[in-house]
Amino acid sequence: MTDPASTQAATREAPRRLVPSGRAVAVSVAVAVAALVPVLVESDFWMLVLGTAGIFAIGAIGLHLLTGITGQVSLGHAAFVTIGAYTTAYLGAERGWPLLAFLAAATVFGGLVGLVVGPFALRFRGDYLVVVTLALIFVTTYVVENWESVTGGFNGISANDASTSIGPVDFAELEVFGTTFTRAEGLYYLAWLLVGLVAVIAYNLVRTKPGRAMQAIRDQEIAASVTGVSVARYKVAAFAISSAMAALAGSVQALSARFLSPNDEIGELFLSIRFVAMIVVGGIGSLGGAIVGALLIGPLPELVRELVGVLDFSVPIIDRPLVTDTQADGGIFSSSSFAQLLFGALLIVTLIRYPTGIAGAFNAARRRIAVSSRERRDGGRPDTGDGPPPG
């Protein structure tokens, strides 16, 4: 026999299930906007910018799991991006593997390298761990420069012939409902589809038992160990997952760049620093913050290069252009150094003004709005948290 109280409770709860949560609405709107952007913008430059942001978002989500959730700081992300990019160039362009195969191979290979390196990183923490992960970049650069049969060495390797098709869908010549998209627009869709996939994996992982164990390690490593959490296993797993996602980002970057060489920025320390800055500016520990940080910081060099024509005005007294394509053109800053200056300024301002990042500021604003709404609903009585006010 049905309990009347249970029936009444279920009846009261039913209407709530029919109304989507605010987060579901926000995600739906974001997906709809992302899908419509190429149709509305119709600019290959902005598609390149937003596609690059998507590629960075994939890697930033991986670093979010490692640093924001597990509490391990890494400056080796650029090494795994490089591994993924060269795996794509070799398997996709040189060996003719299909798109899904070399994307999966790059992801798995990056994860395996992370799995091998992870146990060594376990012996260190804090600044020492940063130095160890930093060494990965130098090792990877050495391998890229000297393993000529796979990477092309100093001459580089082309990724132009790598497949961009999944079955009948070719992202380089995408056609949907009679509308033809350019290669930049197609790769934009590919990048953001992968962002959605990686974000769903990260979102659900954090809410599982392993995800809670990673957060326990971040907050109180000794206490987590005492309660039976295998600190070593979860740290290595976080390192491997983060590395795999970075390699996946590198794989898509190879499709976008079409040619790789040791002089590219994907193997530079600055790229790793940019990844760290993305999750700091976005808000450490926030999945949405990592994506927002990638949107703000990821395509910054491309934006500055595009704006060189606006920023090349002569500076009074110094009588030199502010920004030129290269330093040899006589400018005070080259486009790349000016992008680094803006990057540093953005990072400093964010840390001073919003120490918890954009996600922290957003959550604080949302709490203030909620408190204000509750006060208005209660007739202007301040919410002191001490129970009902005296009558």
Side-chain angles (χ1 to χ4, degrees), residues 131-157:
V131 173
V132 169
T133 56
L134 178 61
L136 286 173
I137 296 177
F138 300 115
V139 173
T140 305
T141 302
Y142 179 82
V143 172
V144 167
E145 291 175 349
N146 292 279
W147 197 2
E148 294 186 6
S149 61
V150 173
T151 65
F154 287 98
N155 294 324
I157 185 172

Side-chain angles (χ1 to χ4, degrees), residues 23-390:
R23 178 170 296 175
V25 172
V27 170
S28 301
V29 171
V31 170
V33 170
L36 289 174
V37 163
V39 180
L40 300 175
V41 174
E42 294 185 344
S43 163
D44 269 1
F45 168 72
W46 285 107
M47 286 302 95
L48 175 65
V49 167
L50 294 173
T52 302
I55 294 169
F56 275 101
I58 297 169
I61 291 172
L63 193 61
H64 153 72
L65 288 175
L66 181 66
T67 303
I69 301 301
T70 316
Q72 291 182 284
V73 181
S74 171
L75 280 182
H77 230 47
F80 297 104
V81 172
T82 302
I83 289 171
Y86 278 92
T87 302
T88 290
Y90 180 73
L91 296 180
E94 297 291 323
R95 297 294 178 180
W97 285 30
L99 175 61
L100 286 180
F102 67 71
L103 283 179
T107 306
V108 171
F109 189 44
L112 288 176
V113 174
L115 202 60
V116 171
V117 175
F120 294 98
L122 278 178
R123 298 174 61 86
F124 305 94
R125 64 178 60 185
D127 297 340
Y128 297 99
L129 177 59
V130 171
V131 173
V132 169
T133 56
L134 178 61
L136 286 173
I137 296 177
F138 300 115
V139 173
T140 305
T141 302
Y142 179 82
V143 172
V144 167
E145 291 175 349
N146 292 279
W147 197 2
E148 294 186 6
S149 61
V150 173
T151 65
F154 287 98
N155 294 324
I157 185 172
S158 172
N160 195 41
D161 293 333
S163 172
T164 53
S165 302
I166 301 177
V169 179
D170 187 350
F171 288 96
E173 299 174 353
L174 193 62
E175 184 172 346
V176 181
F177 300 123
T179 303
T180 302
F181 296 92
T182 64
R183 180 185 176 93
E185 292 168 337
L187 292 181
Y188 160 87
Y189 279 122
L190 175 62
W192 282 97
L193 279 173
L194 292 173
V195 171
L197 175 65
V198 170
V200 168
I201 293 173
Y203 180 83
N204 288 286
L205 176 63
V206 171
R207 280 152 183 79
T208 60
K209 180 182 176 183
R212 291 192 292 272
M214 291 175 184
Q215 294 173 72
I217 292 170
R218 175 197 62 191
D219 296 336
Q220 289 291 337
E221 183 173 325
I222 295 177
S225 177
V226 170
T227 56
V229 173
S230 175
V231 174
R233 186 174 66 181
Y234 285 114
K235 277 189 173 181
V236 171
F239 208 94
I241 295 170
S242 174
S243 305
M245 291 181 177
L248 178 61
S251 186
V252 185
Q253 173 61 25
L255 294 177
S256 177
R258 300 191 186 194
F259 187 82
L260 306 172
S261 80
N263 296 323
D264 294 336
E265 68 170 3
I266 62 170
E268 294 179 351
L269 170 63
F270 183 58
L271 183 67
S272 288
I273 297 174
R274 282 168 69 186
F275 273 115
V276 174
M278 287 171 206
I279 62 171
V280 170
V281 170
I284 291 181
S286 167
L287 175 61
I291 297 174
V292 172
L295 277 167
L296 290 176
I297 294 179
L300 201 56
E302 285 78 11
L303 287 173
V304 173
R305 277 195 290 271
E306 181 66 14
L307 294 174
V308 164
V310 179
L311 299 171
D312 66 348
F313 58 86
S314 182
V315 177
I317 301 176
I318 301 176
D319 197 24
R320 292 170 57 190
L322 179 65
V323 180
T324 53
D325 286 327
T326 65
Q327 203 79 54
D329 294 331
I332 299 174
F333 302 101
S334 66
S335 60
S336 60
S337 60
F338 192 73
Q340 293 177 15
L341 180 69
L342 285 181
F343 158 79
L346 179 62
L347 188 59
I348 292 171
V349 169
T350 303
L351 289 177
I352 293 175
R353 187 67 182 85
Y354 306 108
T356 56
I358 295 172
F362 175 77
N363 290 332
R366 193 171 59 176
R367 283 194 295 270
R368 284 197 295 271
I369 292 172
V371 170
S372 176
S373 300
R374 192 161 55 241
E375 288 177 355
R376 283 197 301 270
R377 189 174 61 244
D378 294 342
R381 293 190 297 270
D383 184 7
T384 62
D386 297 331

